[in-house]
Amino acid sequence: MPATGHIVCAVSEAHPHLTLNIRSMTSRQIERALIDYELDAGVTYLSNEPLAQVRSVPLYSERYMFATRADGPLGGGRRLSWAEAAAAPLCLLHVGMQNRRILDAHLASLGLTAAPCATADSYVTLLSLVQSGGLSSILPHSYASLIPAHPGVRLIELADPAPANDIGLVILDREPISALSRVAFTAAQQVGLLRLFGRSDR
């Protein structure tokens, strides 16, 4: 979701007459909606559970960070181990969300599990829960731009970063390509999000 504003801006600059509708959906919902011609484009993971029948434009790679209250018991550290992060009182996305499945798989590879006290379907909700105190979260670094709107929340680097999660824009790989799909695809190729969000393996 942090990438959508930049893509929408690029589309609007090129085609100011368009009215755009942005929806938050799971990766499987995006796949079904593309196939059913309910969506012209989607932004999703490219390197994990890749969607079928799509063309893609890589946008950036994300890394995980630990979000907690700056004045909380873990808020003073500079770096946190995955074991410490998993053992903290957490709020996470629910298991229907792909990012949560990616996170759970990485924790399992380390012999760890997460047992969140609360789950949600958006990172904005998770940040609100962290801000209110008592809970922490694990979220992509691309959400750092939202931290100023949540006073008291601090992002902490995680030791031994997880493998890169590549994010990209996808359209249906079927001819003819709709005009709006082509517009979104072109905007994604030109927007340059790698400069804004960087790579997770840097």
Side-chain angles (χ1 to χ4, degrees):
M1 292 305 289
T4 57
H6 301 282
I7 297 171
V8 167
C9 182
V11 169
S12 296
E13 287 180 353
H15 303 274
H17 61 286
L18 290 179
T19 298
L20 305 176
N21 178 18
I22 313 301
R23 300 164 60 188
S24 177
M25 307 169 73
T26 68
S27 58
R28 293 309 172 200
Q29 289 172 331
I30 291 172
E31 182 175 46
R32 287 193 298 270
L34 287 171
I35 292 172
D36 293 340
Y37 294 101
E38 296 173 3
L39 289 181
D40 294 292
V43 177
T44 188
Y45 292 93
L46 301 181
S47 53
N48 184 275
E49 300 178 16
L51 304 190
Q53 304 179 52
V54 298
R55 299 180 193 181
S56 62
V57 178
L59 294 172
Y60 65 97
S61 298
E62 69 179 17
R63 68 182 186 278
Y64 284 115
M65 299 194 76
F66 186 78
T68 194
R69 286 281 305 184
D71 56 3
L74 298 174
R78 296 184 58 189
R79 187 170 288 236
L80 208 65
S81 72
W82 279 99
E84 291 172 311
L90 293 173
C91 55
L92 298 173
L93 294 181
H94 64 72
V95 292
M97 306 294 286
Q98 189 176 8
N99 187 282
R100 173 64 189 281
R101 296 195 297 275
I102 295 171
L103 174 62
D104 283 349
H106 179 66
L107 290 172
S109 74
L110 301 175
L112 302 170
T113 58
C117 302
T119 60
D121 62 0
S122 79
Y123 282 115
V124 172
T125 303
L126 297 182
L127 284 170
S128 178
L129 291 171
V130 173
Q131 180 182 354
S132 298
L135 298 178
S136 299
S137 192
I138 301 170
L139 45 79
H141 78 289
S142 54
Y143 281 83
S145 62
L146 300 182
I147 296 302
H150 296 81
V153 175
R154 180 167 178 242
L155 290 182
I156 299 174
E157 295 280 352
L158 286 160
D160 301 320
N165 293 319
D166 295 328
I167 310 298
L169 181 132
V170 293
I171 64 171
L172 191 63
D173 188 15
R174 188 182 298 167
E175 295 291 349
I177 299 173
S178 75
L180 289 177
S181 294
R182 194 178 301 279
V183 165
F185 201 79
T186 300
Q189 290 175 314
Q190 298 173 346
V191 74
L193 289 181
L194 189 60
R195 295 193 306 271
L196 296 170
F197 294 123
R199 292 193 59 85
S200 61
D201 57 359
R202 63 186 177 182

